[in-house]
Coordinates of all heavy atoms in Angstrom, one line a residue:
Chain A
R13 N 9.9 30.7 2.9 CA 11.0 31.6 2.7 C 12.3 31.0 3.4 O 12.1 30.3 4.4 CB 10.6 32.9 3.2 CG 9.6 33.6 2.5 CD 9.3 35.1 2.9 NE 8.3 35.7 1.9 CZ 8.5 36.2 0.8 NH1 9.7 36.1 0.2 NH2 7.6 36.8 0.1
E14 N 13.4 31.5 2.9 CA 14.6 31.0 3.5 C 14.6 31.3 5.1 O 14.1 32.4 5.6 CB 15.8 32.0 3.0 CG 16.4 31.4 1.8 CD 17.7 32.0 1.5 OE1 17.6 33.3 1.1 OE2 18.8 31.4 1.5
G15 N 15.0 30.3 5.8 CA 15.1 30.5 7.3 C 13.7 29.9 8.1 O 13.8 29.8 9.3
E16 N 12.7 29.7 7.2 CA 11.5 29.1 7.8 C 11.6 27.6 8.0 O 12.5 26.9 7.4 CB 10.2 29.5 6.9 CG 9.9 31.0 7.0 CD 8.7 31.2 6.1 OE1 8.3 30.5 5.1 OE2 8.2 32.3 6.4
D17 N 10.8 27.0 8.8 CA 10.6 25.6 9.1 C 9.5 25.0 8.3 O 8.5 25.7 7.9 CB 10.5 25.4 10.7 CG 11.6 26.1 11.4 OD1 12.7 26.3 10.9 OD2 11.3 26.2 12.7
A18 N 9.7 23.6 8.1 CA 8.7 22.9 7.5 C 8.6 21.6 8.0 O 9.6 21.0 8.5 CB 8.9 22.8 6.0
V19 N 7.5 20.9 8.0 CA 7.3 19.5 8.4 C 6.5 18.8 7.3 O 5.5 19.2 6.7 CB 6.3 19.4 9.7 CG1 6.2 17.9 10.1 CG2 7.0 20.1 10.8
I20 N 7.0 17.6 6.9 CA 6.4 16.8 5.9 C 6.1 15.4 6.6 O 6.9 14.9 7.3 CB 7.4 16.6 4.7 CG1 7.8 17.8 4.1 CG2 6.7 15.6 3.7 CD1 8.9 17.7 3.0
N21 N 4.9 15.0 6.3 CA 4.2 13.8 6.9 C 4.1 12.7 6.0 O 3.8 12.9 4.9 CB 3.0 14.3 7.7 CG 3.1 15.2 8.7 OD1 3.9 15.2 9.7 ND2 2.3 16.4 8.6
C22 N 4.4 11.5 6.6 CA 4.1 10.3 5.9 C 3.4 9.3 6.6 O 3.7 9.0 7.8 CB 5.5 9.7 5.5 SG 5.5 8.1 4.7
S23 N 2.2 8.7 6.2 CA 1.5 7.8 7.0 C 1.2 6.6 6.2 O 1.0 6.7 5.0 CB 0.1 8.5 7.5 OG -0.7 8.9 6.5
S24 N 1.0 5.5 6.8 CA 0.8 4.2 6.2 C -0.5 3.6 6.8 O -0.6 3.7 8.0 CB 2.0 3.3 6.2 OG 1.7 1.9 5.6
S25 N -1.1 2.7 6.1 CA -2.2 1.9 6.6 C -1.7 0.5 7.1 O -2.4 -0.2 7.7 CB -3.4 1.7 5.6 OG -2.8 1.0 4.5
K26 N -0.5 0.2 6.9 CA 0.1 -1.1 7.2 C 1.1 -0.8 8.4 O 1.7 0.3 8.5 CB 0.9 -1.7 6.1 CG -0.1 -1.9 4.9 CD 0.6 -2.6 3.8 CE 1.1 -4.0 4.0 NZ 1.6 -4.7 2.8
A27 N 1.5 -1.9 9.1 CA 2.5 -1.8 10.1 C 3.8 -1.8 9.4 O 4.1 -2.4 8.4 CB 2.4 -3.3 11.0
L28 N 4.6 -0.8 9.9 CA 5.8 -0.6 9.3 C 7.1 -1.1 9.9 O 7.1 -1.2 11.1 CB 5.9 1.1 9.1 CG 4.9 1.7 8.3 CD1 5.2 3.2 8.4 CD2 4.9 1.2 6.9
Y29 N 8.0 -1.6 9.1 CA 9.3 -1.9 9.5 C 10.3 -0.9 9.5 O 11.2 -0.6 10.4 CB 9.8 -3.2 8.7 CG 11.3 -3.6 9.1 CD1 11.4 -4.4 10.3 CD2 12.3 -3.2 8.4 CE1 12.6 -4.8 10.8 CE2 13.6 -3.6 8.8 CZ 13.8 -4.5 10.0 OH 15.0 -4.9 10.4
S30 N 10.2 -0.1 8.4 CA 11.1 1.1 8.3 C 10.6 2.2 7.4 O 9.6 2.0 6.6 CB 12.4 0.6 7.6 OG 12.3 0.2 6.4
V31 N 11.1 3.3 7.5 CA 10.6 4.5 6.7 C 11.9 5.2 6.2 O 12.9 5.3 6.9 CB 9.9 5.6 7.5 CG1 9.5 6.8 6.6 CG2 8.6 4.9 8.1
H32 N 11.9 5.4 4.9 CA 13.1 6.0 4.2 C 12.8 7.3 3.7 O 11.7 7.5 3.1 CB 13.6 5.1 3.2 CG 13.9 3.6 3.5 ND1 15.1 3.0 3.1 CD2 13.2 2.7 4.2 CE1 15.1 1.7 3.6 NE2 14.0 1.6 4.3
W33 N 13.6 8.3 3.8 CA 13.4 9.7 3.2 C 14.4 10.0 2.2 O 15.6 9.7 2.3 CB 13.4 10.7 4.2 CG 12.2 10.6 5.2 CD1 12.0 10.1 6.4 CD2 10.9 11.3 5.0 NE1 10.8 10.2 7.0 CE2 10.0 11.0 6.0 CE3 10.4 12.0 3.9 CZ2 8.8 11.5 6.1 CZ3 9.1 12.6 3.9 CH2 8.2 12.3 5.0
Y34 N 13.9 10.4 1.1 CA 14.7 10.9 -0.1 C 14.4 12.3 -0.5 O 13.2 12.7 -0.4 CB 14.5 9.8 -1.3 CG 15.0 8.6 -1.2 CD1 14.5 7.6 -0.4 CD2 16.2 8.1 -1.8 CE1 15.1 6.3 -0.2 CE2 16.9 7.0 -1.6 CZ 16.1 6.0 -0.9 OH 16.7 4.7 -0.7
R35 N 15.3 13.0 -1.2 CA 15.1 14.1 -1.7 C 15.4 14.1 -3.2 O 16.5 13.6 -3.6 CB 15.8 15.4 -1.2 CG 15.7 16.7 -1.8 CD 16.3 17.8 -1.0 NE 17.7 17.7 -0.7 CZ 18.4 18.2 0.1 NH1 17.7 18.9 1.1 NH2 19.6 18.1 0.3
Q36 N 14.6 14.6 -4.1 CA 14.9 14.6 -5.5 C 14.8 16.1 -6.1 O 13.8 16.7 -6.0 CB 13.9 13.7 -6.4 CG 14.2 13.5 -7.8 CD 13.3 12.6 -8.5 OE1 12.1 12.5 -8.1 NE2 13.8 12.0 -9.5
K37 N 15.9 16.5 -6.6 CA 15.8 17.8 -7.5 C 15.4 17.5 -9.0 O 15.6 16.4 -9.5 CB 17.2 18.5 -7.4 CG 17.5 18.9 -5.9 CD 18.7 19.7 -5.8 CE 19.0 20.1 -4.4 NZ 18.0 21.2 -4.0
H38 N 14.9 18.6 -9.5 CA 14.4 18.3 -10.9 C 15.5 17.9 -11.8 O 16.6 18.4 -11.9 CB 13.9 19.6 -11.4 CG 13.2 19.6 -12.8 ND1 12.1 19.0 -13.0 CD2 13.7 20.1 -14.0 CE1 11.7 19.0 -14.3 NE2 12.7 19.7 -14.9
G39 N 15.1 16.7 -12.6 CA 16.0 16.2 -13.5 C 17.1 15.3 -12.9 O 18.0 14.9 -13.7
E40 N 17.1 15.0 -11.6 CA 18.1 14.3 -11.0 C 17.5 13.0 -10.3 O 16.2 12.8 -10.3 CB 18.9 15.1 -10.0 CG 19.5 16.4 -10.6 CD 20.2 17.1 -9.5 OE1 20.3 16.7 -8.3 OE2 20.7 18.2 -9.9
A41 N 18.4 12.1 -9.9 CA 17.9 10.9 -9.1 C 17.5 11.4 -7.8 O 18.0 12.3 -7.1 CB 19.0 9.9 -9.2
P42 N 16.7 10.4 -7.2 CA 16.3 10.7 -5.7 C 17.6 10.4 -4.9 O 18.4 9.4 -5.2 CB 15.4 9.6 -5.4 CG 14.7 9.2 -6.7 CD 15.8 9.6 -7.7
I43 N 17.9 11.2 -3.8 CA 19.1 11.2 -3.0 C 18.6 10.7 -1.7 O 17.7 11.3 -1.1 CB 19.9 12.5 -3.0 CG1 20.3 12.9 -4.4 CG2 21.0 12.4 -2.0 CD1 21.3 11.9 -5.0
F44 N 19.2 9.7 -1.0 CA 18.9 9.2 0.2 C 19.2 10.2 1.3 O 20.3 10.9 1.4 CB 19.7 7.9 0.5 CG 19.7 7.4 1.9 CD1 18.5 6.9 2.4 CD2 20.7 7.6 2.8 CE1 18.3 6.3 3.6 CE2 20.6 7.1 4.1 CZ 19.4 6.4 4.5
L45 N 18.2 10.5 2.3 CA 18.5 11.3 3.3 C 18.7 10.6 4.6 O 19.8 10.8 5.3 CB 17.2 12.4 3.4 CG 17.1 13.2 2.4 CD1 15.7 14.0 2.6 CD2 18.2 14.2 2.2
M46 N 17.8 9.8 5.0 CA 17.9 9.0 6.3 C 16.9 7.9 6.3 O 15.8 7.8 5.5 CB 17.7 9.9 7.4 CG 16.4 10.5 7.6 SD 16.4 11.6 9.0 CE 17.3 13.0 8.1
I47 N 17.1 6.9 7.1 CA 16.3 5.8 7.3 C 15.9 5.7 8.7 O 16.7 5.9 9.6 CB 16.9 4.5 6.8 CG1 16.0 3.4 7.0 CG2 18.3 4.2 7.4 CD1 16.5 2.0 6.4
L48 N 14.6 5.3 9.1 CA 14.3 5.1 10.5 C 13.6 3.7 10.5 O 12.8 3.2 9.8 CB 13.2 6.1 10.9 CG 13.8 7.6 10.9 CD1 13.1 8.2 9.5 CD2 13.3 8.3 12.0
L49 N 14.1 3.0 11.5 CA 13.7 1.6 11.8 C 12.6 1.5 12.9 O 12.7 2.5 13.7 CB 14.8 0.6 12.1 CG 16.0 0.6 11.0 CD1 17.1 -0.4 11.6 CD2 15.4 0.1 9.7
K50 N 11.8 0.6 12.9 CA 10.8 0.5 14.0 C 11.6 0.4 15.3 O 12.6 -0.1 15.5 CB 9.9 -0.7 13.7 CG 10.6 -2.2 14.0 CD 9.4 -3.1 13.9 CE 10.1 -4.5 14.3 NZ 8.9 -5.5 14.2
G51 N 10.8 1.1 16.2 CA 11.5 1.4 17.5 C 11.2 2.8 18.0 O 11.6 3.3 19.1
G52 N 10.6 3.5 17.0 CA 10.2 4.9 17.4 C 11.4 5.9 17.6 O 11.4 6.7 18.3
E53 N 12.4 5.7 16.7 CA 13.6 6.6 16.8 C 13.4 7.9 16.1 O 12.5 8.0 15.3 CB 14.8 5.8 16.4 CG 14.9 5.5 14.9 CD 16.1 4.8 14.6 OE1 17.1 5.3 14.3 OE2 16.2 3.5 14.3

Side-chain angles (χ1 to χ4, degrees):
Chain A
R13 291 195 178 276
E14 274 188 295
E16 292 183 336
D17 302 339
V19 180
I20 299 172
N21 300 303
C22 174
S23 64
S24 173
S25 59
K26 299 180 70 173
L28 298 177
Y29 178 77
S30 67
V31 179
H32 305 227
W33 286 97
Y34 288 79
R35 177 171 62 207
Q36 184 180 30
K37 292 186 179 289
H38 184 69
E40 299 181 5
I43 300 297
F44 171 74
L45 293 176
M46 64 187 76
I47 181 173
L48 301 102
L49 302 177
K50 69 175 183 178
E53 63 179 280

